[in-house]
Amino acid sequence: MQRLSALFDVTTLSLLATVALAVFLPCRGEAAVAFDWISIAAIALLFFLHGARLPREAIIAGLTHWRLHLLVLACTFVAFPLLGLGIQALAPAGLLTAELMIGILFLCALPSTVQSSIAFTSIAGGNVAAAVCSASISNLLGVFLTPLLVSILLATHGGMPLDLAAIMKIVLELFLPFVAGHLSRPLFASWVGRHRRLLAITDRGTVLLVVYIAFSASVVEGLWQLLPLSALAAVLGITAAMLAIALGGTTWLSRRLGFNREDEIAIVFCASKKSLASGVPMAKILFAGNPALGLIVLPVLLYHQIQLMACAVIAQRHARRAPVPARVA
């Protein structure tokens, strides 16, 4: 738990420092173009390493626990988008800016996390194997489902429809490196296993780089000066409410459907999460050239931090309540 808390502290401080750097020293002009190309290479490397790390056995094993994975996928790619549409319909006029509302809808279309879902499931004493399979399947399908869902959700928002070119960029910049990494597992699997810290650094570094580029563009365009504090408070409250609904709903559903304690823990942690590592690179591709990208990814950043804090508490509570194995006489 101490190790996870330390990671959370580093991630939070790094994000805050990156946003501050973008505010006071934004990249612009030729520097922005150079950073953009560097980010494309970093994103490709990130998904290559994720593909090289995913065991084929995990994909096959995922098929055997289909009820659990189907529930997680339904919550991730059906329930969350419906929740986003509900927020859009019920939010009072003027509560959120157009960019923040797009960010909420984009958040709802994202896949689950991988590392933190597995880590929290392990701490809580849940079904770790199921969490590995479910989170991995969610991220793999998210490469295709997220842009399609975003296109549908934004059509209801009345603007910014996604074209085929944006989806093809997702395939070229995210899916193909992932497949290449997975096919190269015989060559790189052992090396990736010995250098897991490299994946963590690449993961975090890529997110920070894209966040810096996105927030720099918003600062250069002066969009942050137009963001009311009331809208910022509203998106913070909405993301917190979304997580509470997700945690409560997945807990109720898993018990209603008869899953045991270990499976319930895996379901709750996988189905309530939204991936920052996948979401920020996807946003960069899907909303390429949009100066409001920093505002669009803001709900993802806030939800990510809230989910880490809430799930750390929940995982620790599960760990304290875990049944003690009976001693053998």
Side-chain angles (χ1 to χ4, degrees), residues 142-157:
V143 174
F144 299 100
L145 292 180
T146 294
L148 292 176
L149 286 172
V150 169
S151 181
I152 294 171
L153 293 173
L154 291 189
T156 68
H157 190 68

Side-chain angles (χ1 to χ4, degrees), residues 21-93:
L21 180 63
V23 170
F24 294 105
L25 191 63
C27 62
R28 62 181 80 213
E30 294 183 0
V33 175
F35 271 105
D36 191 56
W37 281 106
I38 293 172
S39 70
I40 292 174
I43 291 169
L45 176 61
L46 171 65
F47 278 80
F48 179 88
L49 292 175
H50 274 295
R53 193 182 66 167
L54 176 63
R56 195 161 304 170
E57 295 79 7
I59 299 175
I60 298 173
L63 299 177
T64 63
H65 210 342
W66 62 270
R67 288 181 67 246
L68 183 148
H69 303 310
L70 189 60
L71 177 57
V72 171
L73 291 175
C75 291
T76 303
F77 296 116
V78 178
F80 260 104
L82 291 176
L83 178 60
L85 291 176
I87 293 171
Q88 181 186 23
L90 297 176

Side-chain angles (χ1 to χ4, degrees), residues 249 267 275:
I267 290 168
S275 176

